[in-house]
Amino acid sequence: MATTRVENFEGFKDRHGPLTWGQRHYWTILAGHPMNRRQFSLRQHWRIPAGANLELVCSAVRTLVERHEALRTHIFFHGDGEPIQRVRGCGSFQITVRDVGHEATEADAEEAAGDMAAQDFRLNEEFPIRFQVLLADGEPVFLAVVVSHLAVDGYACGVLEGEFMEVVRGDKDLAPPSKQPLDWAEKERSSAGASVNRRSLTYFDELLRAHPVSLFPRDNAMENVGREGFPVVLGHGVGLGAKISELSGRWKSPVSAVALASLVRSLAHHSATDVFPLGLTSSNRFLPGADGYVGMLAQNTALGVRTAGKSTRELAGEIRRSQMAAYQSAAYDQGDLDALLEVAHPGADRVGFGAVSHFVNFQHGYVFPPRPDGIAPELPPYFLWHGDRVPYEIPRFGIIISSDDHDLGVRIFADPAALPVSKVESIIKTFFDEFIGH
């Protein structure tokens, strides 16, 4: 049985203005997936500290909404014009409260978040965040949260969770937010922001001139293949997380560069080229003033890859240097980038966002999902399985590499018109074999 609480806020300023570059970048991704935008909502569930009552939990939630303008903003889209955001100075939001009985589990919290994410956000009518408190015999156990990726990124979710915990525990007074999204947008439109934008556009222009070849171009004759969602293949390398950490220390390169070195060697092996651009996602959290910022900062960037004649160790060092250049050019006006690509690189392999049509993410400290039934835990050194299809339509492929102190994982979803499942499996196997060989 669920009930709904209405929480009010007032006393703040109404504000409006353009989207930030990060928001505008993500809007192009949403615009490319008009039928399944709900897949881009971020799902969270936070365990509520023992002893906190419902009133305290709801008060902490209200504190988050009052502190961060991103959580009380409506976003309006006017046909082909630029979207704008309007911050509400007074208003209300809802918190669903549900008692699940004797025990509330992680699975209950995940299900609650999934249920809230089933409907896309109507961003011109509702705030971009939803809350549900799960009770067990009347006591709060979990707060399930769903928030639009257009409003915040993954790092911002961590900021919100940390602040929620501090308020509930009464640990300390929270410092004022570093910036609000409209302040960030104003900074981007300053002369300093224009300089950052020009540098990024120059970087993309030069990179695509030097690395023009597309990886795994799509077979346009199979244009309807992706309608059911892209197939997903996952791989789990037992003990290879420790191996990648050891190589990182020995080669004096970050674990992400070591992982990417083996990945690009595998991609080159299974494609027709050893020179290509590789799309990356950058959180942009290294930018001044970004610490503690609750908003959307992540944008896609790219690095250039040349694998011929290089050892995996040499590639790791080269990728480390390329990563720094890529991240320094990961903040830009999406409209300006689109205009550049249309004029200077009309044949570039991109579809609606970023500079190339695929992306790679790396996560360290990742908590791996349970291995599927039927796979023995002692099976060395790695194993593969198939996950549920994902409802993407426009990237060539996406790769997420994950590691902890022991294991290494990879998840690839791919348009089968560009990358058949059998080739995805081969790419993952070669990727793991690269580590085993060192």
Side-chain angles (χ1 to χ4, degrees):
M1 185 71 174
T3 59
T4 301
R5 292 176 57 111
V6 177
E7 299 289 332
N8 299 304
F9 62 89
E10 61 182 358
F12 302 94
K13 290 183 179 180
D14 280 349
R15 304 176 69 199
H16 70 276
L19 302 190
T20 65
W21 289 345
Q23 290 173 309
R24 183 64 179 83
H25 172 82
Y26 219 85
W27 168 239
T28 65
I29 299 176
L30 294 180
H33 295 79
M35 304 304 293
N36 57 354
R37 292 176 183 170
R38 62 185 179 275
Q39 70 175 304
F40 300 106
S41 297
L42 301 177
R43 307 177 189 186
Q44 303 277 301
H45 61 275
W46 308 334
R47 183 176 288 276
I48 297 169
N53 60 33
L54 181 60
E55 293 300 324
L56 178 57
V57 169
C58 292
S59 175
V61 170
R62 186 172 61 253
T63 296
L64 296 181
V65 173
E66 291 175 344
R67 281 174 55 79
H68 300 293
E69 292 184 357
L71 308 186
R72 47 187 171 87
T73 293
H74 291 149
I75 297 177
F76 298 90
F77 312 106
H78 300 288
D80 296 332
E82 288 294 311
I84 63 168
Q85 54 186 322
R86 185 177 299 277
V87 179
R88 299 304 186 186
C90 63
S92 63
F93 60 95
Q94 295 182 345
I95 302 175
T96 302
V97 181
R98 184 161 64 93
D99 199 317
V100 297
H102 180 63
E103 182 183 10
T105 65
E106 294 269 355
D108 292 327
E110 291 174 0
E111 181 181 2
D115 290 343
M116 287 193 292
Q119 297 296 321
D120 186 27
F121 282 98
R122 302 180 308 280
L123 293 172
N124 61 328
E125 300 175 8
E126 65 175 313
F127 295 134
I129 191 164
R130 298 167 181 158
F131 303 98
Q132 183 172 147
V133 180
L134 270 65
L135 310 178
D137 292 337
E139 297 298 321
V141 180
F142 287 102
L143 178 65
V145 181
V146 173
V147 59
S148 170
H149 211 329
L150 188 63
V152 304
D153 52 29
Y155 182 97
C157 288
V159 173
L160 293 173
E161 181 180 6
E163 291 185 352
F164 173 80
M165 295 301 177
E166 289 184 16
V167 174
V168 170
R169 293 186 180 121
D171 290 345
K172 60 180 180 180
D173 293 333
L174 298 177
S178 58
K179 274 189 174 12
Q180 302 287 5
L182 286 176
D183 303 322
W184 201 274
E186 182 179 0
K187 180 180 73 170
E188 290 170 340
R189 282 157 177 77
S190 68
S191 58
S195 177
V196 170
N197 188 43
R198 285 194 299 271
R199 182 181 66 194
S200 295
L201 297 180
T202 299
Y203 171 81
F204 285 123
D205 185 32
E206 293 176 349
L207 181 139
L208 291 176
R209 291 184 190 279
H211 306 83
V213 181
S214 300
L215 267 174
F216 311 115
R218 193 173 192 274
D219 180 358
N220 291 322
M222 302 174 67
E223 61 183 28
N224 295 319
V225 170
R227 297 295 174 87
E228 297 178 357
F230 291 172
V232 174
V233 183
L234 301 96
H236 191 127
V238 180
L240 295 183
K243 178 74 171 181
I244 197 175
S245 295
E246 185 269 327
L247 290 175
S248 172
R250 192 184 344 146
W251 293 352
K252 296 181 172 52
S253 291
V255 289
S256 60
V258 175
L260 285 173
S262 290
L263 175 67
V264 299
R265 186 173 295 285
S266 179
L267 293 175
H269 177 76
H270 292 284
S271 70
T273 180
D274 57 14
V275 178
F276 51 88
L278 185 67
L280 300 175
T281 299
S282 171
S283 75
N284 283 342
R285 287 289 164 171
F286 58 87
L287 295 174
D291 187 35
Y293 172 71
V294 170
M296 175 60 189
L297 278 182
Q299 291 187 256
N300 289 347
T301 184
L303 57 81
V305 174
R306 294 177 179 269
T307 64
K310 299 183 181 75
S311 67
T312 308
R313 177 174 185 168
E314 290 170 334
L315 273 174
E318 183 175 301
I319 287 172
R320 174 178 57 82
R321 293 184 291 273
S322 297
Q323 281 176 306
M324 295 306 299
Y327 294 153
Q328 290 170 359
S329 303
Y332 53 86
D333 186 304
Q334 182 70 46
D336 289 348
L337 176 62
D338 290 344
L340 167 70
L341 295 175
E342 286 178 9
V343 174
H345 304 277
D349 180 22
R350 69 177 184 95
V351 190
F353 62 93
V356 296
S357 69
H358 50 265
F359 67 87
V360 175
N361 286 342
F362 179 84
Q363 302 170 321
H364 187 60
Y366 178 75
V367 178
F368 290 94
R371 70 189 74 221
D373 294 338
I375 295 181
E378 68 276 6
L379 238 178
Y382 58 79
F383 54 88
L384 278 62
W385 74 96
H386 292 181
D388 295 333
R389 285 176 173 257
V390 295
Y392 277 91
E393 296 175 358
I394 60 175
R396 296 292 184 264
F397 58 85
I399 302 176
I400 299 94
I401 304 172
S402 309
S403 72
D404 60 16
D405 291 337
H406 186 262
D407 291 353
L408 179 70
V410 61
R411 176 179 180 267
I412 299 181
F413 64 85
D415 182 347
L419 260 177
V421 170
S422 59
K423 182 168 283 192
V424 172
E425 293 173 343
S426 296
I427 288 170
I428 293 176
K429 291 176 182 177
T430 303
F431 167 69
F432 282 134
D433 288 337
E434 282 289 330
F435 290 111
I436 296 168
H438 290 283

